[in-house]
């Protein structure tokens, strides 16, 4: 990770107990963790506070997508819990992203999710109601909206990272999930890269697990 990308371990666990066990097993090997919808629903906001009180950094990945006033309040609450990063859907639009950025303030960076790494071109065309779409074109369009809304960055597949970085430079930090070792199973992901490919594409954060 010579270019300074931060490693974030996903706590995709069904309970606080199993998440604590993973954290304890990693020990000093990681200080930045992702709390997503499954764990947050099971363990609640108190678990996020527990992690931050232990001196750990938290990426609260709840992908807010609502009316602007609700997104502002949700991001404000995420920041109050001590989350370092949180996510919104770029498809919520510029007003929604701007509201989330305002709510989060300087304490928490807002990342706009472009196209989920589990979605391929055919699935995206069905969602958008079009005959054909090009995933990269859609990702770049949504990234432009995110930058206009002053988001800290975007969540994108590593396959699109280099193109976003070439267009936006340091104007958008890139968080890349769907990281896999070369030759390993992609599981439920459609667009995956290796850690090296993600970093070379300009990723600022890698989500592992």
């Amino acid at each position: 990770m010579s270019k300074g990308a931060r490693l974030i371990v996903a706590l995709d666990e069904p309970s606080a107990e199993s998440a604590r066990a993973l954290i304890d097993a990693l020990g000093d090997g990681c200080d930045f963790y992702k709390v997503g919808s499954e764990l947050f629903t099971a363990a609640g906001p108190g678990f996020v506070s527990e992690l931050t009180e232990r001196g750990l950094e938290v990426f609260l990945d709840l992908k807010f997508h609502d009316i602007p006033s609700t997104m502002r309040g949700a991001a404000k609450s995420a920041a109050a819990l001590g989350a370092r990063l949180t996510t919104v859907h770029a498809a919520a639009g510029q007003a929604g992203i701007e509201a989330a950025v305002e709510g989060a303030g300087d304490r928490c960076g807002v990342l706009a999710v472009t196209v989920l790494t589990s979605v391929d071109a055919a699935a995206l065309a069905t969602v958008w109601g079009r005959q054909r779409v090009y995933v990269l074109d859609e990702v770049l369009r949504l990234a432009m909206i995110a930058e206009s809304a002053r988001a800290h960055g975007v969540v994108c597949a590593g396959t699109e990272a280099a193109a976003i970085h070439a267009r936006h430079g340091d104007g958008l930090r890139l968080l890349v999930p769907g990281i896999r070792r070369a030759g390993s199973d992609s599981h439920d992901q459609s667009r995956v890269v290796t850690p090296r490919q993600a970093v070379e594409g300009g990723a600022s954060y890698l989500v592992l697990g």
Side-chain angles (χ1 to χ4, degrees):
M1 301 302 105
S2 60
K3 293 185 180 180
R6 291 294 306 275
L7 298 181
I8 303 174
V9 170
L11 294 176
D12 292 333
E13 298 290 333
S15 68
E17 290 74 19
S18 58
R20 290 189 192 102
L22 176 56
I23 294 169
D24 291 341
L26 291 173
D28 294 336
C30 180
D31 63 357
F32 208 156
Y33 290 93
K34 185 196 86 165
V35 174
S37 298
E38 180 182 11
L39 180 58
F40 189 81
T41 302
F47 186 71
V48 176
S49 298
E50 176 185 326
L51 297 185
T52 59
E53 287 167 5
R54 288 178 60 172
L56 301 172
E57 295 184 293
V58 175
F59 164 38
L60 186 59
D61 185 25
L62 300 182
K63 300 181 180 68
F64 304 127
H65 187 168
D66 215 306
I67 62 174
S69 60
T70 299
M71 291 176 67
R72 180 184 296 107
K76 183 177 181 179
S77 294
L81 288 175
R84 170 82 178 275
L85 299 170
T86 194
T87 47
V88 302
H89 271 291
Q94 183 169 336
I97 301 171
E98 287 176 342
V101 170
E102 179 184 335
D106 296 332
R107 295 175 292 173
C108 180
V110 173
L111 301 167
V113 178
T114 55
V115 176
L116 296 172
T117 52
S118 61
V119 175
D120 60 16
L124 188 61
T126 299
V127 170
W128 284 169
R130 302 182 199 168
Q131 290 290 96
R132 178 183 298 176
V133 299
Y134 296 97
V135 172
L136 178 59
D137 290 346
E138 296 302 309
V139 168
L140 290 173
R141 180 177 61 81
L142 292 168
M144 187 69 71
I145 294 171
E147 184 174 49
S148 297
R150 297 175 291 104
H152 175 67
V154 296
V155 179
C156 65
T159 50
E160 294 101 45
I164 298 173
H165 187 67
R167 182 170 294 188
H168 298 277
D170 292 335
L172 286 175
R173 303 294 181 180
L174 308 182
L175 184 145
V176 176
I179 301 294
R180 296 291 186 272
R181 291 180 295 179
S184 65
D185 195 324
S186 62
H187 299 289
D188 60 348
Q189 305 296 309
S190 295
R191 301 173 350 265
V192 301
V193 295
T194 65
R196 180 179 296 277
Q197 289 170 328
V199 172
E200 290 177 346
S204 298
Y205 309 97
L206 305 185
V207 177
L208 308 178

